[in-house]
Coordinates of all heavy atoms in Angstrom, one line a residue:
M117 N 56.5 -2.1 -7.4 CA 55.2 -2.7 -7.6 C 55.1 -3.0 -9.1 O 55.3 -2.2 -9.9 CB 54.1 -1.7 -7.3 CG 53.7 -1.6 -5.9 SD 52.2 -0.7 -5.9 CE 51.6 -1.1 -4.3
D118 N 54.7 -4.2 -9.3 CA 54.5 -4.6 -10.7 C 53.0 -4.5 -11.0 O 52.1 -4.1 -10.2 CB 55.0 -6.0 -10.9 CG 54.3 -7.1 -10.0 OD1 53.6 -6.6 -9.1 OD2 54.4 -8.3 -10.3
S119 N 52.6 -4.8 -12.2 CA 51.3 -4.6 -12.7 C 50.3 -5.5 -12.0 O 49.1 -5.1 -11.8 CB 51.2 -4.8 -14.2 OG 51.5 -6.1 -14.5
Q120 N 50.7 -6.7 -11.6 CA 49.8 -7.6 -10.9 C 49.4 -7.0 -9.5 O 48.2 -7.1 -9.1 CB 50.5 -9.0 -10.6 CG 49.6 -10.0 -10.0 CD 48.4 -10.4 -10.9 OE1 48.5 -10.5 -12.1 NE2 47.2 -10.5 -10.2
D121 N 50.3 -6.4 -8.8 CA 49.9 -5.7 -7.5 C 48.9 -4.6 -7.7 O 48.0 -4.4 -6.9 CB 51.2 -5.2 -6.8 CG 52.1 -6.4 -6.3 OD1 51.6 -7.5 -6.1 OD2 53.3 -6.1 -6.1
L122 N 49.2 -3.8 -8.8 CA 48.2 -2.7 -9.1 C 46.8 -3.2 -9.4 O 45.8 -2.7 -9.0 CB 48.8 -1.8 -10.2 CG 50.0 -1.0 -9.9 CD1 50.5 -0.3 -11.1 CD2 49.7 0.0 -8.8
L123 N 46.8 -4.3 -10.2 CA 45.5 -4.9 -10.5 C 44.8 -5.5 -9.3 O 43.6 -5.3 -9.1 CB 45.7 -6.0 -11.6 CG 45.9 -5.5 -13.0 CD1 46.2 -6.7 -13.9 CD2 44.7 -4.8 -13.5
N124 N 45.6 -6.1 -8.4 CA 45.0 -6.6 -7.2 C 44.5 -5.5 -6.3 O 43.4 -5.6 -5.7 CB 46.0 -7.4 -6.4 CG 46.3 -8.8 -7.1 OD1 45.5 -9.3 -7.9 ND2 47.4 -9.4 -6.7
I125 N 45.2 -4.4 -6.2 CA 44.7 -3.3 -5.4 C 43.5 -2.7 -6.0 O 42.5 -2.4 -5.3 CB 45.8 -2.2 -5.2 CG1 47.0 -2.8 -4.4 CG2 45.3 -0.9 -4.7 CD1 48.2 -1.9 -4.3
A126 N 43.5 -2.5 -7.3 CA 42.3 -1.9 -8.0 C 41.1 -2.8 -7.9 O 40.0 -2.3 -7.6 CB 42.6 -1.7 -9.5
F127 N 41.3 -4.1 -8.0 CA 40.2 -5.1 -7.8 C 39.7 -5.1 -6.4 O 38.5 -5.1 -6.2 CB 40.6 -6.5 -8.2 CG 39.5 -7.5 -8.1 CD1 38.5 -7.5 -9.0 CD2 39.5 -8.4 -7.1 CE1 37.5 -8.4 -8.9 CE2 38.5 -9.4 -7.0 CZ 37.5 -9.4 -7.9
G128 N 40.6 -5.0 -5.5 CA 40.2 -4.9 -4.0 C 39.4 -3.7 -3.7 O 38.4 -3.7 -3.0
V129 N 39.8 -2.5 -4.3 CA 39.1 -1.3 -4.0 C 37.7 -1.3 -4.7 O 36.7 -0.9 -4.2 CB 39.9 -0.1 -4.5 CG1 39.1 1.2 -4.6 CG2 41.2 0.1 -3.7
A130 N 37.7 -1.8 -6.0 CA 36.4 -1.9 -6.7 C 35.5 -2.9 -6.0 O 34.3 -2.6 -5.9 CB 36.7 -2.4 -8.1
S131 N 36.0 -4.0 -5.5 CA 35.1 -4.9 -4.7 C 34.6 -4.3 -3.5 O 33.4 -4.5 -3.1 CB 35.9 -6.2 -4.4 OG 36.3 -6.9 -5.6
S132 N 35.4 -3.5 -2.8 CA 35.0 -2.9 -1.6 C 33.9 -1.9 -1.8 O 32.9 -1.8 -1.1 CB 36.2 -2.2 -0.9 OG 37.2 -3.1 -0.5
V133 N 34.1 -1.1 -2.9 CA 33.1 -0.1 -3.3 C 31.8 -0.8 -3.7 O 30.7 -0.3 -3.2 CB 33.6 0.9 -4.4 CG1 32.5 1.7 -5.0 CG2 34.7 1.7 -3.9
L134 N 31.9 -1.8 -4.5 CA 30.7 -2.6 -4.9 C 30.0 -3.2 -3.7 O 28.8 -3.2 -3.6 CB 31.1 -3.6 -5.9 CG 29.9 -4.4 -6.5 CD1 29.0 -3.4 -7.3 CD2 30.5 -5.4 -7.5
G135 N 30.8 -3.7 -2.7 CA 30.2 -4.3 -1.5 C 29.5 -3.3 -0.7 O 28.4 -3.5 -0.2
W136 N 30.1 -2.1 -0.5 CA 29.5 -1.1 0.2 C 28.2 -0.6 -0.4 O 27.2 -0.4 0.3 CB 30.4 0.1 0.3 CG 29.8 1.3 0.9 CD1 29.6 1.6 2.3 CD2 29.2 2.4 0.2 NE1 28.9 2.8 2.4 CE2 28.7 3.3 1.2 CE3 29.1 2.8 -1.1 CZ2 28.1 4.5 0.8 CZ3 28.5 3.9 -1.5 CH2 28.0 4.8 -0.5
F137 N 28.2 -0.5 -1.7 CA 27.0 -0.1 -2.5 C 25.9 -1.1 -2.3 O 24.7 -0.7 -2.1 CB 27.3 0.2 -3.9 CG 26.2 0.6 -4.8 CD1 25.7 1.9 -4.6 CD2 25.5 -0.2 -5.6 CE1 24.6 2.4 -5.4 CE2 24.4 0.2 -6.4 CZ 24.0 1.5 -6.2
A138 N 26.2 -2.4 -2.4 CA 25.2 -3.4 -2.3 C 24.7 -3.5 -0.9 O 23.4 -3.6 -0.7 CB 25.9 -4.8 -2.6
R139 N 25.5 -3.2 0.1 CA 25.0 -3.2 1.5 C 24.0 -2.0 1.7 O 23.0 -2.1 2.4 CB 26.2 -3.1 2.5 CG 25.7 -3.2 4.0 CD 26.8 -3.0 4.9 NE 27.3 -1.6 4.5 CZ 28.1 -0.9 5.3 NH1 28.7 -1.4 6.3 NH2 28.5 0.3 5.0
E140 N 24.4 -0.9 1.2 CA 23.5 0.3 1.3 C 22.2 0.1 0.6 O 21.1 0.4 1.1 CB 24.2 1.5 0.7 CG 25.3 2.1 1.5 CD 24.9 2.6 2.9 OE1 23.9 3.3 3.0 OE2 25.6 2.2 3.8
M141 N 22.2 -0.6 -0.6 CA 21.0 -0.9 -1.3 C 20.1 -1.9 -0.5 O 18.9 -1.7 -0.4 CB 21.3 -1.4 -2.7 CG 21.9 -0.4 -3.6 SD 20.8 1.0 -3.9 CE 19.5 0.3 -4.8
W142 N 20.8 -2.9 0.1 CA 20.1 -3.9 0.9 C 19.4 -3.2 2.1 O 18.2 -3.5 2.4 CB 21.0 -4.9 1.3 CG 20.4 -6.1 2.1 CD1 20.3 -6.2 3.4 CD2 19.7 -7.1 1.5 NE1 19.6 -7.3 3.8 CE2 19.2 -7.9 2.6 CE3 19.4 -7.5 0.2 CZ2 18.5 -9.1 2.4 CZ3 18.6 -8.7 0.0 CH2 18.2 -9.4 1.1
S143 N 20.1 -2.4 2.8 CA 19.5 -1.7 4.0 C 18.4 -0.8 3.5 O 17.4 -0.6 4.2 CB 20.5 -1.0 4.8 OG 21.1 0.1 4.0
A144 N 18.5 -0.1 2.4 CA 17.4 0.8 1.9 C 16.2 0.0 1.5 O 15.1 0.4 1.8 CB 17.9 1.6 0.7
V145 N 16.4 -1.2 0.9 CA 15.2 -2.0 0.6 C 14.5 -2.5 1.8 O 13.3 -2.5 1.9 CB 15.7 -3.2 -0.3 CG1 14.6 -4.2 -0.5 CG2 16.1 -2.7 -1.7
K146 N 15.3 -2.9 2.8 CA 14.7 -3.4 4.1 C 13.9 -2.3 4.8 O 12.8 -2.5 5.3 CB 15.8 -3.9 5.0 CG 16.3 -5.3 4.6 CD 17.4 -5.8 5.5 CE 16.8 -6.2 6.9 NZ 17.8 -6.8 7.8
E147 N 14.5 -1.1 4.7 CA 13.8 0.1 5.3 C 12.5 0.4 4.6 O 11.5 0.7 5.2 CB 14.7 1.3 5.3 CG 14.1 2.5 6.1 CD 15.1 3.6 6.1 OE1 16.3 3.4 6.0 OE2 14.6 4.8 6.3
L148 N 12.5 0.3 3.3 CA 11.3 0.5 2.5 C 10.3 -0.5 2.8 O 9.1 -0.2 2.8 CB 11.7 0.5 1.0 CG 12.3 1.8 0.4 CD1 12.8 1.6 -1.0 CD2 11.4 3.0 0.6
K149 N 10.7 -1.8 2.9 CA 9.7 -2.8 3.3 C 9.0 -2.5 4.6 O 7.8 -2.7 4.7 CB 10.4 -4.2 3.3 CG 10.7 -4.7 1.9 CD 11.4 -6.1 2.0 CE 11.7 -6.7 0.7 NZ 12.3 -8.0 0.7
T150 N 9.8 -2.1 5.6 CA 9.2 -1.8 6.9 C 8.3 -0.6 6.8 O 7.2 -0.6 7.4 CB 10.3 -1.6 8.0 OG1 11.1 -0.5 7.6 CG2 11.1 -2.9 8.2
D151 N 8.7 0.4 6.0 CA 7.8 1.6 5.9 C 6.5 1.2 5.1 O 5.4 1.7 5.5 CB 8.5 2.7 5.1 CG 9.6 3.3 5.9 OD1 9.7 3.2 7.1 OD2 10.5 4.1 5.2
L152 N 6.6 0.3 4.1 CA 5.4 -0.1 3.4 C 4.5 -0.9 4.3 O 3.3 -0.8 4.3 CB 5.8 -0.9 2.2 CG 4.7 -1.4 1.3 CD1 4.0 -0.2 0.7 CD2 5.3 -2.2 0.1
A153 N 5.1 -1.8 5.1 CA 4.3 -2.6 6.1 C 3.6 -1.6 7.1 O 2.4 -1.8 7.4 CB 5.1 -3.6 6.8
K154 N 4.2 -0.6 7.5 CA 3.6 0.3 8.5 C 2.5 1.1 7.8 O 1.5 1.3 8.3 CB 4.7 1.3 9.0 CG 4.2 2.2 10.1 CD 5.1 3.3 10.6 CE 6.5 2.9 10.8 NZ 7.3 4.0 11.2
L155 N 2.8 1.5 6.5 CA 1.8 2.2 5.8 C 0.5 1.4 5.5 O -0.6 1.9 5.7 CB 2.3 2.7 4.4 CG 1.4 3.5 3.5 CD1 1.1 4.8 4.2 CD2 2.1 3.8 2.2
R156 N 0.7 0.1 5.2 CA -0.4 -0.8 5.0 C -1.2 -0.9 6.3 O -2.4 -1.1 6.2 CB 0.1 -2.2 4.5 CG 0.5 -2.2 3.1 CD 0.9 -3.6 2.7 NE 1.2 -3.6 1.3 CZ 2.0 -4.5 0.7 NH1 2.5 -5.5 1.5 NH2 2.3 -4.5 -0.5
E157 N -0.6 -0.9 7.4 CA -1.2 -1.0 8.7 C -2.0 0.3 9.1 O -3.1 0.2 9.6 CB -0.2 -1.3 9.8 CG -0.8 -1.6 11.1 CD 0.3 -2.0 12.1 OE1 1.1 -2.9 11.8 OE2 0.3 -1.4 13.2
E158 N -1.4 1.4 8.8 CA -2.0 2.7 9.2 C -3.0 3.2 8.2 O -3.9 4.0 8.6 CB -0.9 3.7 9.4 CG 0.0 3.4 10.5 CD 1.1 4.4 10.6 OE1 1.3 5.3 9.7 OE2 1.9 4.3 11.6
L159 N -2.9 2.9 6.9 CA -3.8 3.4 5.9 C -5.3 3.2 6.1 O -6.1 4.1 6.0 CB -3.4 2.9 4.5 CG -3.8 3.7 3.3 CD1 -3.3 5.2 3.5 CD2 -3.3 3.1 2.1
P160 N -5.7 1.9 6.5 CA -7.1 1.7 6.7 C -7.7 2.5 7.9 O -8.9 2.7 8.0 CB -7.2 0.2 7.0 CG -6.0 -0.4 6.3 CD -5.0 0.7 6.5
R161 N -6.9 3.0 8.8 CA -7.4 3.8 9.9 C -7.8 5.1 9.5 O -8.7 5.8 10.0 CB -6.3 3.9 11.0 CG -6.0 2.5 11.6 CD -5.0 2.7 12.7 NE -4.5 1.4 13.2 CZ -3.4 1.2 13.8 NH1 -2.6 2.1 14.0 NH2 -3.1 0.0 14.2
S162 N -7.1 5.7 8.4 CA -7.4 7.0 8.0 C -8.4 7.1 6.8 O -9.1 8.0 6.7 CB -6.1 7.7 7.5 OG -5.2 7.7 8.6
Y163 N -8.4 6.1 6.0 CA -9.2 6.1 4.8 C -10.0 4.8 4.7 O -9.7 3.8 5.3 CB -8.3 6.1 3.5 CG -7.5 7.4 3.5 CD1 -6.1 7.3 3.9 CD2 -8.0 8.6 3.1 CE1 -5.4 8.5 3.8 CE2 -7.2 9.7 3.0 CZ -5.9 9.7 3.4 OH -5.2 10.8 3.4
V164 N -11.2 4.9 4.0 CA -12.0 3.8 3.9 C -11.6 2.9 2.7 O -11.3 3.5 1.6 CB -13.5 4.2 3.7 CG1 -14.4 3.1 3.4 CG2 -13.9 5.0 4.9
M165 N -11.6 1.6 2.8 CA -11.2 0.8 1.7 C -12.4 0.8 0.7 O -13.5 1.0 1.0 CB -11.0 -0.6 2.1 CG -9.7 -0.7 2.9 SD -9.2 -2.3 3.6 CE -10.1 -3.5 2.6
K166 N -12.0 0.7 -0.6 CA -13.0 0.9 -1.7 C -14.2 -0.2 -1.5 O -15.3 0.2 -1.7 CB -12.3 0.7 -3.0 CG -13.2 1.0 -4.2 CD -12.5 0.7 -5.5 CE -11.8 1.9 -5.9 NZ -11.3 1.8 -7.3
E167 N -13.8 -1.4 -1.2 CA -14.9 -2.4 -1.1 C -15.8 -2.1 0.1 O -17.0 -2.3 0.0 CB -14.2 -3.8 -0.9 CG -15.2 -4.9 -1.0 CD -15.9 -5.0 -2.3 OE1 -15.3 -4.7 -3.3 OE2 -17.1 -5.4 -2.2
D168 N -15.3 -1.7 1.2 CA -16.1 -1.3 2.4 C -17.1 -0.2 2.0 O -18.2 -0.2 2.3 CB -15.3 -0.9 3.6 CG -14.5 -2.1 4.1 OD1 -14.9 -3.2 3.9 OD2 -13.5 -1.8 4.9
Y169 N -16.5 0.8 1.3 CA -17.4 2.0 0.8 C -18.5 1.5 -0.1 O -19.6 1.9 0.1 CB -16.5 3.0 0.1 CG -17.2 4.1 -0.5 CD1 -17.7 5.2 0.3 CD2 -17.5 4.2 -1.8 CE1 -18.4 6.2 -0.2 CE2 -18.2 5.2 -2.4 CZ -18.6 6.2 -1.6 OH -19.3 7.3 -2.1
R170 N -18.2 0.7 -1.0 CA -19.2 0.2 -2.0 C -20.3 -0.6 -1.2 O -21.5 -0.5 -1.5 CB -18.6 -0.7 -3.0 CG -17.8 0.1 -4.1 CD -17.2 -0.8 -5.1 NE -16.5 0.0 -6.1 CZ -15.7 -0.5 -7.0 NH1 -15.5 -1.8 -7.1 NH2 -15.1 0.3 -7.9
R171 N -19.9 -1.4 -0.3 CA -20.8 -2.2 0.5 C -21.7 -1.3 1.3 O -23.0 -1.5 1.3 CB -20.1 -3.2 1.4 CG -21.1 -4.2 2.0 CD -20.3 -5.3 2.9 NE -19.5 -4.6 3.9 CZ -18.2 -4.8 4.0 NH1 -17.5 -5.5 3.2 NH2 -17.6 -4.2 5.0
D172 N -21.2 -0.3 1.9 CA -22.0 0.6 2.7 C -22.9 1.4 1.9 O -24.1 1.6 2.2 CB -21.1 1.5 3.6 CG -20.3 0.8 4.6 OD1 -20.7 -0.4 5.0 OD2 -19.3 1.3 5.2
I173 N -22.5 1.9 0.7 CA -23.3 2.7 -0.1 C -24.4 1.8 -0.7 O -25.6 2.3 -0.8 CB -22.5 3.3 -1.3 CG1 -21.6 4.4 -0.8 CG2 -23.4 3.8 -2.4 CD1 -22.3 5.6 -0.2
Y174 N -24.1 0.5 -1.0 CA -25.2 -0.4 -1.5 C -26.3 -0.5 -0.4 O -27.5 -0.5 -0.7 CB -24.6 -1.7 -1.8 CG -25.6 -2.7 -2.3 CD1 -26.1 -2.7 -3.6 CD2 -26.0 -3.7 -1.4 CE1 -27.0 -3.6 -4.0 CE2 -26.9 -4.7 -1.9 CZ -27.5 -4.6 -3.1 OH -28.4 -5.5 -3.6
E175 N -25.9 -0.7 0.9 CA -26.8 -0.8 1.9 C -27.7 0.4 2.1 O -28.9 0.3 2.3 CB -26.1 -1.1 3.3 CG -25.5 -2.5 3.3 CD -24.7 -2.7 4.6 OE1 -24.7 -1.8 5.5 OE2 -24.0 -3.8 4.7
I176 N -27.1 1.6 2.0 CA -27.8 2.8 2.1 C -28.8 2.9 0.9 O -30.0 3.3 1.1 CB -26.9 4.0 2.1 CG1 -26.1 4.0 3.4 CG2 -27.6 5.3 1.9 CD1 -25.0 5.1 3.5
K177 N -28.4 2.6 -0.3 CA -29.3 2.7 -1.4 C -30.5 1.7 -1.3 O -31.6 2.0 -1.7 CB -28.5 2.3 -2.7 CG -27.7 3.5 -3.2 CD -26.9 3.1 -4.5 CE -26.1 4.3 -4.9 NZ -25.4 3.9 -6.2
E178 N -30.2 0.5 -0.7 CA -31.3 -0.4 -0.5 C -32.3 0.1 0.5 O -33.5 0.0 0.3 CB -30.7 -1.8 0.0 CG -30.0 -2.6 -1.0 CD -31.0 -3.0 -2.1 OE1 -32.1 -3.5 -1.8 OE2 -30.6 -2.9 -3.3
M179 N -31.8 0.8 1.6 CA -32.7 1.4 2.6 C -33.5 2.5 1.9 O -34.7 2.6 2.2 CB -31.9 1.9 3.8 CG -31.4 0.9 4.7 SD -30.7 1.6 6.2 CE -29.0 1.6 5.7
L180 N -32.9 3.3 1.1 CA -33.6 4.4 0.5 C -34.7 3.8 -0.5 O -35.8 4.4 -0.6 CB -32.6 5.3 -0.3 CG -31.8 6.2 0.6 CD1 -30.8 7.0 -0.2 CD2 -32.7 7.2 1.4
N181 N -34.4 2.8 -1.2 CA -35.3 2.2 -2.1 C -36.5 1.7 -1.3 O -37.7 1.8 -1.8 CB -34.7 1.1 -2.9 CG -33.8 1.6 -4.0 OD1 -34.0 2.7 -4.5 ND2 -32.9 0.8 -4.4
K182 N -36.3 1.1 -0.2 CA -37.4 0.6 0.6 C -38.3 1.7 1.1 O -39.5 1.7 1.1 CB -36.9 -0.2 1.8 CG -36.4 -1.6 1.5 CD -35.8 -2.3 2.7 CE -35.2 -3.6 2.3 NZ -34.7 -4.3 3.5
I183 N -37.6 2.8 1.5 CA -38.4 4.0 2.0 C -39.2 4.6 0.8 O -40.4 4.9 1.0 CB -37.4 5.1 2.5 CG1 -36.8 4.6 3.9 CG2 -38.1 6.4 2.7 CD1 -35.7 5.5 4.4
F184 N -38.6 4.7 -0.3 CA -39.3 5.2 -1.5 C -40.5 4.3 -1.9 O -41.6 4.8 -2.3 CB -38.4 5.5 -2.7 CG -37.5 6.6 -2.5 CD1 -36.2 6.5 -3.0 CD2 -37.8 7.8 -1.8 CE1 -35.3 7.6 -2.8 CE2 -37.0 8.8 -1.7 CZ -35.7 8.7 -2.1
D185 N -40.3 3.0 -1.8 CA -41.4 2.1 -2.1 C -42.6 2.3 -1.1 O -43.7 2.3 -1.5 CB -40.9 0.7 -2.1 CG -40.0 0.3 -3.3 OD1 -40.0 1.1 -4.3 OD2 -39.3 -0.7 -3.2
R186 N -42.2 2.4 0.1 CA -43.3 2.6 1.1 C -44.0 3.9 0.9 O -45.2 4.0 1.1 CB -42.7 2.6 2.5 CG -42.3 1.2 3.0 CD -41.8 1.2 4.4 NE -41.4 -0.1 4.8 CZ -40.8 -0.4 6.0 NH1 -40.5 0.6 6.8 NH2 -40.5 -1.6 6.3
L187 N -43.3 5.0 0.5 CA -43.9 6.3 0.3 C -44.8 6.2 -1.0 O -45.9 6.8 -1.0 CB -42.8 7.3 0.1 CG -42.1 7.9 1.3 CD1 -41.0 8.8 0.9 CD2 -43.1 8.5 2.3
D188 N -44.4 5.5 -2.0 CA -45.2 5.3 -3.1 C -46.5 4.5 -2.8 O -47.5 4.8 -3.3 CB -44.4 4.5 -4.2 CG -43.4 5.4 -4.9 OD1 -43.5 6.7 -4.8 OD2 -42.5 4.9 -5.6
N189 N -46.4 3.5 -2.0 CA -47.6 2.8 -1.6 C -48.5 3.6 -0.7 O -49.7 3.5 -0.8 CB -47.2 1.5 -0.7 CG -46.5 0.5 -1.6 OD1 -46.7 0.5 -2.8 ND2 -45.7 -0.4 -1.0
K190 N -48.0 4.5 0.1 CA -48.9 5.4 0.9 C -49.6 6.4 0.0 O -50.7 6.7 0.3 CB -48.0 6.1 2.0 CG -47.6 5.2 3.0 CD -47.5 5.9 4.3 CE -47.0 4.9 5.4 NZ -47.9 4.8 6.4
V191 N -48.9 6.9 -1.0 CA -49.5 7.9 -1.9 C -50.7 7.2 -2.7 O -51.7 7.8 -2.9 CB -48.5 8.5 -2.8 CG1 -49.1 9.3 -3.9 CG2 -47.5 9.3 -2.0
D192 N -50.5 6.0 -3.1 CA -51.5 5.3 -3.9 C -52.8 5.0 -3.1 O -53.8 5.0 -3.6 CB -50.9 4.0 -4.4 CG -49.9 4.2 -5.5 OD1 -49.8 5.3 -6.0 OD2 -49.1 3.2 -5.7
K193 N -52.6 4.9 -1.8 CA -53.8 4.6 -0.9 C -54.6 5.8 -0.6 O -55.1 6.6 -0.8 CB -53.4 3.9 0.3 CG -52.9 2.5 0.1 CD -52.5 1.9 1.4 CE -52.0 0.5 1.2 NZ -51.7 -0.2 2.4

């Protein structure tokens, strides 16, 4: 075996290892994407989104303000 054969074998082994590593990384990224999509789908079922919470609290505060205004008007009469 001459040096060219050894370099070809080394390059082939290195390319194989690099290809295997790239394939593993690609499959891991695809799996993470599907997990993230599933999480985005399931998360609103368990927790309230911030904007929905703010809107609901605003409505409750408005109702309470109306009640307090009516109570204040009744006390004045």
Side-chain angles (χ1 to χ4, degrees):
M117 273 194 164
D118 60 348
S119 62
Q120 184 64 39
D121 289 338
L122 290 176
L123 284 174
N124 286 344
I125 290 171
F127 183 71
V129 169
S131 296
S132 297
V133 169
L134 186 61
W136 171 81
F137 182 73
R139 187 188 59 168
E140 289 296 317
M141 292 300 290
W142 183 261
S143 64
V145 167
K146 285 178 74 175
E147 187 177 336
L148 284 173
K149 284 181 180 180
T150 57
D151 288 346
L152 184 61
K154 189 190 313 181
L155 181 64
R156 283 183 180 158
E157 185 178 307
E158 292 174 357
L159 201 58
R161 293 180 187 158
S162 301
Y163 300 99
V164 177
M165 290 178 22
K166 187 182 272 187
E167 188 59 37
D168 292 340
Y169 175 76
R170 286 183 178 166
R171 187 177 59 240
D172 291 343
I173 290 297
Y174 179 78
E175 291 174 5
I176 291 171
K177 286 181 179 180
E178 287 295 315
M179 284 188 264
L180 287 173
N181 283 335
K182 287 179 184 179
I183 291 171
F184 289 142
D185 288 342
R186 286 183 181 171
L187 285 173
D188 285 342
N189 288 339
K190 290 212 180 239
V191 168
D192 290 343
K193 290 183 178 181

